[in-house]
Amino acid sequence: MSDTNSLQARALDLALKAKAASRIVSAVSSGTRTQALLRLVGELESKAFAEELKAANDADVADARANGQTAALVDRLVLDAPRLTSLTKSVRDIAWQDDPIGEVVAEGAGPSGIKIKRVRAPLGTILMIYEARPNVTVDAAALCLRSGNAVLLRGGSEARRSNEVLVNALRRSLVHVGLPEDCVQLVPADRALLEPLLALEEHIDLCIPRGGQSLIRFIAEKSRIPVIKHYQGVCHLYVAGDADLPLAEKLLLNGKAQRPGVCNAVECVLVDASIANDAISGFAQSLSAAGVELRCDPRALPLAIEGVAHASEIPDDVLRAAGTKRAEKPGQAIAAVEADYGTEFLDYKLLVCVVDGIDAALTHIAKFGSKHTESICTKNDALADRFTREVDASCTLVNASSRFNDGAELGLGAEIGISTSKLHAYGPMGARELTCTRFVVRGAGQVRT
């Protein structure tokens, strides 16, 4: 058998197993799926599992560091005890969510007397393709199980060991309650296997890619399966002319420096020209103390340089209040280049721009934003309303950190990702977003004439 035929056969085997499993998991009771999720909670809380996961994750992280990966990417790989606790809580929350399957969305009657309902149903089989972030393995599988779907998980090779441990725990939990283990399968991190998988539109119902530009482009170009893109997060914070500057500073520090390697981190701050002289030097002072490099437009640069010079004067409690800490090496202020605009840094780097009012801010975001997350800091309700109405993003926030555009924070329990597509979901996708609606019609012998 040629290499191509072998890859096609492997891909088809994975898809057929998932499709068969999806028919079973979609038909079982909500209680059975709940018990599987609670069994997974027990697995995640066990001492033996924690030790196994720690060994695997430590090895993945050590390899990433040895390969020269950035600190932000290494942070995305880490699944330590506090993050495992948070992950376990997410699974428990998902287990006790209302079951979306069978939910009646609308009902009525036709002129003939037929009774019509629109009800939620599972999508079927979902192919999830993602990089780093081993917690996504569990979040995605738990949401698919809650919504009655089977899932093929294709994580990045950098998290291979961690993903194997997590998927084994998921499959044990399924078998324990009598569900097929193939409801959750780990696809080998072999890029050559992706193309034959992406051709199987008869067996896979949806593909969700979550990662960098090259991955998303590759999937969008090659897939014959419907794709919901979870694209890059070029997220902005607009600090309006009337903003409370200490509040804006806190939002900016939290949005940029708490976890710079995540998709809802702030990548650009737009400061209104009317307050730039007072605002930017103060922002630069605290951001520099947190280790953030500031890439500044011509009007922002001299103000940022002034602030960076005083970074050591920022009290530690200011940084702690924003969920971050003092860096060993302060960040510097440098002139921005063209490539910095519209860039998702995923690192301790931030574009700083001065804008002439709300119109200029909206124009900048329309040009460089990625429809992910956009924020404003203002005391003016009318200005906030205009911003939220005119900005095209999956989530807009007023006087709150961009980091809140997250499934758990928005009440979904977790997320399979943040969709930057508009069909069929926009924003964080929970269990309900992994369903479709279909018609169920009951009659009493009516025929159409």
Side-chain angles (χ1 to χ4, degrees), residues 26 28 30 33 98-106 117-122 146-148 432 435-438 440:
S26 68
V28 300
S30 174
R33 286 181 277 117
D98 291 340
D99 192 348
I101 303 306
E103 175 190 347
V104 178
V105 176
K117 290 183 180 180
R118 293 192 75 170
V119 300
R120 291 200 179 276
R146 176 74 285 165
S147 52
R432 183 165 275 102
T435 65
C436 60
T437 61
R438 61 191 181 98
V440 176

Side-chain angles (χ1 to χ4, degrees), residues 218-246:
F218 176 84
I219 301 301
E221 290 172 3
K222 301 293 184 180
S223 184
R224 291 165 60 181
I225 303 164
V227 174
I228 295 181
K229 299 176 187 176
H230 291 236
Y231 201 39
Q232 60 183 350
V234 182
C235 309
H236 298 80
L237 169 62
Y238 169 51
V239 183
D242 70 331
D244 177 328
L245 293 186

Side-chain angles (χ1 to χ4, degrees), residues 148-386:
N149 295 292
V151 64
L152 295 166
L153 297 165
R154 199 280 192 183
S157 58
E158 64 277 2
R160 175 182 57 81
R161 300 177 187 87
S162 303
N163 286 337
E164 287 174 355
V165 171
L166 293 166
V167 168
N168 286 340
L170 283 155
R171 288 163 70 89
R172 287 195 299 270
S173 301
L174 290 163
V175 170
H176 184 80
V177 300
L179 288 172
E181 63 182 3
D182 288 333
C183 290
V184 178
Q185 295 181 76
L186 185 63
V187 178
D190 178 357
R191 189 147 189 167
L193 192 57
L194 276 181
E195 285 200 49
L197 274 172
L198 294 170
L200 297 175
E201 78 273 24
E202 293 181 5
H203 306 298
I204 300 173
D205 298 282
L206 177 67
C207 176
I208 301 176
R210 179 173 169 176
Q213 291 188 52
S214 62
L215 173 67
I216 302 293
R217 286 201 186 104
F218 176 84
I219 301 301
E221 290 172 3
K222 301 293 184 180
S223 184
R224 291 165 60 181
I225 303 164
V227 174
I228 295 181
K229 299 176 187 176
H230 291 236
Y231 201 39
Q232 60 183 350
V234 182
C235 309
H236 298 80
L237 169 62
Y238 169 51
V239 183
D242 70 331
D244 177 328
L245 293 186
L247 173 61
E249 178 184 43
K250 185 178 180 180
L251 298 179
L252 185 54
L253 271 172
N254 182 257
K256 176 73 266 185
Q258 187 207 27
R259 290 194 69 190
V262 295
C263 62
N264 56 16
V266 172
E267 301 292 15
C268 174
V269 60
L270 304 171
V271 182
D272 196 277
S274 65
I275 58 167
N277 287 342
D278 294 326
I280 290 179
S281 61
F283 295 165
Q285 194 175 358
S286 55
L287 287 162
S288 174
V292 178
E293 179 184 87
L294 306 173
R295 301 188 171 194
C296 307
D297 75 4
R299 287 194 285 178
L301 185 57
L303 301 170
I305 289 173
E306 178 186 349
V308 166
H310 300 279
S312 62
E313 300 170 18
I314 285 289
D316 286 344
D317 59 358
V318 170
L319 302 173
R320 281 195 296 270
T324 187
K325 61 184 179 180
R326 189 176 302 278
E328 292 182 7
K329 183 180 178 182
Q332 299 302 306
I334 62 174
V337 297
E338 185 177 352
D340 294 328
Y341 291 76
T343 291
E344 183 185 35
F345 295 111
L346 296 176
D347 204 349
Y348 287 93
K349 298 172 183 177
L350 178 72
L351 179 64
V352 184
C353 298
V354 177
V355 292
D356 296 310
I358 182 73
D359 290 319
L362 291 170
T363 298
H364 182 106
I365 292 169
K367 183 175 181 179
F368 297 110
S370 61
K371 304 182 188 296
H372 195 289
T373 307
E374 304 296 352
S375 312
I376 184 173
C377 184
T378 181
K379 300 173 187 174
N380 186 320
D381 287 342
L383 194 68
D385 288 344
R386 181 183 173 194

